[in-house]
Amino acid sequence: MGRNQKLYERLDQLEDDFASYLLEELESVASGHSSWFLSRKIPHHLDGKFWRDAKTAVAERTEAEIYELRKKLNESTSDGLLAILAEFVETRRQLSDKFDGGETHLARRIIEKLKEWQNMRPHVTAKRRVT
């Protein structure tokens, strides 16, 4: 097995794990709760504090590794899973904190995109194995 193939397998595993974690976090937000991971991406939420729990730390490292692997493999970092996360973060930053229900509606919309991405995932990984 070649080096790139091993890197692609690692990327696939990381993206699958990260997608599951992100789905849990978005479902929490959609049900009106908060998410340490997602809140840390919107600085004014924590008033400059940078608390995080162990699970959030792992998610942040996983996100960074996905980004680095994609760059190393010359894969786009502006589409797929990273783009779905970026869309949530950027849209959430633009929402007024007083916009009632905006974050929960946004989370539900992003959940649908994430589920579509997960459903397309087997086709992408199979294509990578062939080439």
Side-chain angles (χ1 to χ4, degrees), residues 89-113:
V89 171
E90 289 305 313
T91 306
R92 178 57 190 98
R93 284 181 179 161
Q94 295 170 12
L95 289 176
S96 165
D97 286 332
K98 296 179 180 169
F99 182 61
D100 187 34
E103 187 175 44
T104 58
H105 292 293
L106 173 61
R108 287 185 196 117
R109 185 169 56 84
I110 298 297
I111 285 169
E112 292 307 312
K113 285 188 175 197

Side-chain angles (χ1 to χ4, degrees), residues 8-117:
Y8 273 116
E9 286 181 5
R10 175 75 177 146
L11 177 61
D12 290 342
Q13 184 60 51
L14 287 171
E15 286 183 334
D16 288 343
D17 293 347
F18 189 68
S20 296
Y21 173 78
L22 187 56
L23 184 60
E24 287 176 23
E25 296 298 294
L26 287 166
E27 287 173 341
S28 176
V29 171
S31 66
H33 301 287
S34 62
S35 158
W36 275 108
F37 176 74
L38 296 172
S39 293
R40 284 176 52 82
K41 296 198 161 293
I42 305 165
H44 73 275
H45 273 202
L46 300 175
D47 295 326
K49 306 284 191 273
F50 292 100
W51 299 301
R52 72 178 177 185
D53 59 8
K55 196 172 181 182
T56 299
V58 169
E60 288 173 347
R61 284 192 303 270
T62 302
E63 178 189 6
E65 189 174 350
I66 289 169
Y67 182 81
E68 290 304 315
L69 279 172
R70 284 186 149 280
K71 281 178 48 179
K72 188 179 283 188
L73 292 165
N74 294 320
E75 293 285 332
S76 175
T77 58
S78 61
D79 64 0
L81 185 57
L82 295 176
I84 292 168
L85 174 59
E87 180 181 345
F88 176 84
V89 171
E90 289 305 313
T91 306
R92 178 57 190 98
R93 284 181 179 161
Q94 295 170 12
L95 289 176
S96 165
D97 286 332
K98 296 179 180 169
F99 182 61
D100 187 34
E103 187 175 44
T104 58
H105 292 293
L106 173 61
R108 287 185 196 117
R109 185 169 56 84
I110 298 297
I111 285 169
E112 292 307 312
K113 285 188 175 197
L114 181 57
K115 287 181 178 179
E116 286 175 25
W117 179 86

